[in-house]
Amino acid sequence: MSSDNIDRIRLCSDVPEHVAIIMDGNGRWAGERGLPRHLGHREGMNAVRESVEGAIAAGVQILTLFAFSTENWNRPPQEVSALMQLLQHYARREGEELRKRGVEVHVLGELDRVDSATRRAIETITDSTRGGITLRLNLMISYGGREELVRAARILSERVRAGELDPDEINEDELQKTLFTRDVREPDLLIRTSGEFRISNFMLWQLAYTELHITRVLWPDFGREDFFEAILEYQNRDRRFGSVRSQ
Ligand code: FPP
């Protein structure tokens, strides 16, 4: 690897353990080239590979990608179907390579809404990569932050109704344990591509103290050097979590 940036990242001990990405701009990327939107998503798959490789090279431990939101179900049926097929294609084409690279894939979201062929592909890639220790890759599919919090409220209420939990015992820890991301730390860094300054219903609970990096680069053009730039910028931030700087 010949990147100067990767050397600079490694010189600093503070590599973000968990990086999350809102992958945005596939449609615009295709539009600028007079191509149909689904070709933008297809090109976006290469950018997924770039970020996975970048994360491994930088020593990031968890990479979370917003691949399909609950709102995305409202897109035209052809686009939804193209995105589901792309996920299946990714699982088939990349599963073996991810396994070899020590990437453990998790797919998180309301998967009941996903068609059976995509669910099978998800099962295959999660089963075949289980036990990978280099990088945990969370693909957020049929995921929405508000829906996740409503689900959390429902799970906690059921436990109260069953007499397993006293309402006075409900605190941040108890709620955290009901989230799709219950077994991973909160993201240290959130990257959003395509220059939009929005969270778009992504990980509303988990992003409370996450550092944000917003770039104008459209997702299909986002390469590993862009990923390294985001980490370098993060390494210059002063994270205080609502407190004051330590002296
Ligand atoms: C947002 O761009 C992107 C998506 C809705 C889908 C993200 C999917 C991929 C990157 C493809 C494959 C992913 C995996 C994990 C295999 P947009 O369509 O909203 O773009 P626009 O805002 O320019 O219209």
Side-chain angles (χ1 to χ4, degrees):
M1 191 176 319
S2 60
S3 166
D4 288 347
N5 281 340
I6 196 74
D7 296 335
R8 286 165 62 207
I9 288 169
R10 287 192 172 144
L11 277 174
C12 173
S13 59
D14 190 17
V15 173
E17 278 184 42
H18 184 176
V19 177
I21 309 184
I22 300 177
M23 310 182 285
D24 194 15
N26 295 348
R28 273 162 283 171
W29 185 93
E32 281 172 3
R33 289 161 180 78
L35 298 170
R37 292 177 58 82
H38 73 89
L39 291 184
H41 297 314
R42 176 166 283 264
E43 195 63 28
M45 206 172 72
N46 298 328
V48 168
R49 191 176 312 114
E50 282 287 300
S51 280
V52 167
E53 286 302 323
I56 294 172
V60 168
Q61 287 164 28
I62 306 162
L63 179 67
T64 298
L65 303 179
F66 201 7
F68 191 92
S69 70
T70 43
E71 291 76 17
N72 289 157
W73 288 116
N74 301 325
R75 292 197 175 192
Q78 315 84 284
E79 186 169 346
V80 170
S81 161
L83 278 164
M84 290 299 142
Q85 279 175 29
L86 202 55
L87 289 165
Q88 293 170 33
H89 180 68
Y90 179 77
R92 276 196 300 272
R93 206 178 78 173
E94 308 276 321
E96 179 54 15
E97 187 57 26
L98 290 170
R99 190 192 63 75
K100 282 196 205 141
R101 307 281 281 126
V103 178
E104 183 176 77
V105 179
H106 294 250
V107 179
L108 309 178
E110 302 282 359
L111 300 182
D112 295 355
R113 296 184 71 179
V114 170
D115 66 88
S116 56
T118 307
R119 272 215 300 272
R120 274 198 304 279
I122 288 171
E123 252 167 56
T124 307
I125 196 167
T126 50
D127 285 352
S128 67
T129 59
R130 188 163 297 129
I133 54 163
T134 310
L135 176 75
R136 172 174 166 147
L137 175 63
N138 296 320
L139 301 179
M140 308 301 267
I141 292 175
S142 187
Y143 172 84
R146 287 187 174 179
E147 290 77 4
E148 181 179 43
L149 292 175
V150 169
R151 183 174 167 271
R154 201 172 290 131
I155 293 170
L156 292 174
S157 318
E158 289 296 342
R159 289 185 56 209
V160 169
R161 185 156 64 184
E164 294 166 16
L165 186 69
D166 188 292
D168 288 341
E169 291 167 346
I170 297 177
N171 54 24
E172 291 189 13
D173 273 354
E174 284 300 330
L175 195 143
Q176 205 285 130
K177 283 187 217 155
T178 69
L179 301 178
F180 290 119
T181 54
R182 60 191 156 269
D183 52 351
V184 287
R185 65 185 266 127
E186 291 163 13
D188 301 292
L189 171 65
L190 172 75
I191 300 171
R192 179 168 189 150
T193 57
S194 90
E196 305 289 357
F197 287 75
R198 285 193 291 276
I199 297 295
S200 298
N201 200 16
F202 187 46
M203 298 181 98
L204 296 179
W205 176 275
Q206 298 89 332
L207 295 176
Y209 288 103
T210 300
E211 295 293 324
L212 308 182
H213 174 91
I214 293 165
T215 167
R216 293 177 72 87
V217 176
L218 303 178
W219 176 250
D221 291 329
F222 190 83
R224 75 187 74 182
E225 287 299 326
D226 299 297
F227 187 86
F228 296 153
E229 292 284 351
I231 293 185
L232 282 167
E233 193 198 276
Y234 166 89
Q235 289 179 323
N236 285 318
R237 301 267 179 95
D238 175 23
R239 298 189 79 192
R240 296 198 297 271
F241 300 93
S243 184
V244 290
R245 185 202 298 247
S246 52
Q247 299 298 312

